[in-house]
Structures are given as structure tokens and as C-alpha cells.
Amino acid sequence: MAPATIPRWTKPVSAWTPPWDAEALTAVLAKIQGWKPFDGDALLDDVGAVLDDVMPPEKDLEDIAQRLRRHLMQLVDIAAAAEAGQKDAEAHRLIQRAREVRAEDMPGDHLQAVGHLRRMAWTTNELLERLVENQCLKEAS
């Protein structure tokens, strides 16, 4: 049996050039390395810690605020990817509220700071529920 012949490509092909330069690729790599997957359990733990009857200790407020900000932005990113704000007016309102409350500075007074954290936690919880309702996320446990 004779070996099969393979047709050869005879047309000239230009050399491949990467779509981004080294600086852009480095920036993309940094974003990928800094990415944290959505963790619904951690989100619910943080929301629960803030909305509990017992106020969080003052020493923990800034850490909780940072985690709630991260949760809010992850939910906003998920909503944007799913175009939830364009499909649902309530989701759009909650997305705007999430952006606003996330951008607010933490008050220096302990009680005001707890109030701020509770607004962030309520917004986080409401946006999570709306995204689940709109099937942008699976139901959180």
C-alpha cells in the first residue's frame, strides 16, 4: 500500500503578531492572578455578621467593609455580564445603589460605621437575591 500524499500549502502566510504588547499582557496577567471566584457562602457569612443583632467589634469593621465592597463589585460585575440592569428595572436600581454605597467613605464613629456596613449588607443581600431571581446566579445556600 502506497503512503498517502498530503497536499502542501503553497500560499505565503504572514508571520503572526500578538494582539497585545508585553505591557498589556502583563496587565491581563495581573488581573487574572488577582481574580477571586465568587463565594456565596462567604458573602452570606459577611452579610449575616453585619445584620446580626450583635454589632461587630470596632476592630473588625474595616475588614468587613472591604469584604462587602468586594462582594458588591463581584455582584455588579455578574449583573453587567448578564445584562441584568437592562432587562430588569429593579436590578438596575440595585446595581446603582451598590455602586453608590460601595463608594461611600466609612464614618469614623462606631455606630455610624455599623449603620454604613448594614446599608452595604442589605444592598449586597438584595442584589444577590435579585440576581438569583433573574437566573444570573444559582441560588446561594
Side-chain angles (χ1 to χ4, degrees), residues 38 40-41 44 128 131-133 135-141:
F38 177 74
D41 291 334
L44 292 174
L128 173 67
L131 293 178
V132 169
E133 187 176 310
Q135 299 179 345
C136 300
L137 282 170
K138 291 182 182 181
E139 188 168 357
S141 55

Side-chain angles (χ1 to χ4, degrees), residues 14-81:
S14 59
W16 179 79
T17 56
W20 296 324
D21 61 12
E23 185 177 323
L25 288 171
T26 302
V28 168
L29 178 61
K31 286 185 179 188
I32 291 171
Q33 289 173 331
W35 175 77
K36 299 213 184 315
F38 177 74
D39 185 348
D41 291 334
L43 179 149
L44 292 174
D45 287 346
D46 289 336
V47 167
V50 172
L51 297 179
D52 193 4
D53 291 338
V54 178
M55 283 191 275
E58 192 166 356
K59 66 179 181 59
D60 296 341
L61 296 184
E62 191 56 44
D63 289 341
I64 295 170
Q66 288 302 322
R67 291 195 307 267
L68 284 173
R69 286 185 185 104
R70 187 178 69 243
H71 295 314
L72 281 171
M73 288 320 298
Q74 283 185 318
L75 292 175
V76 168
D77 289 344
I78 291 167

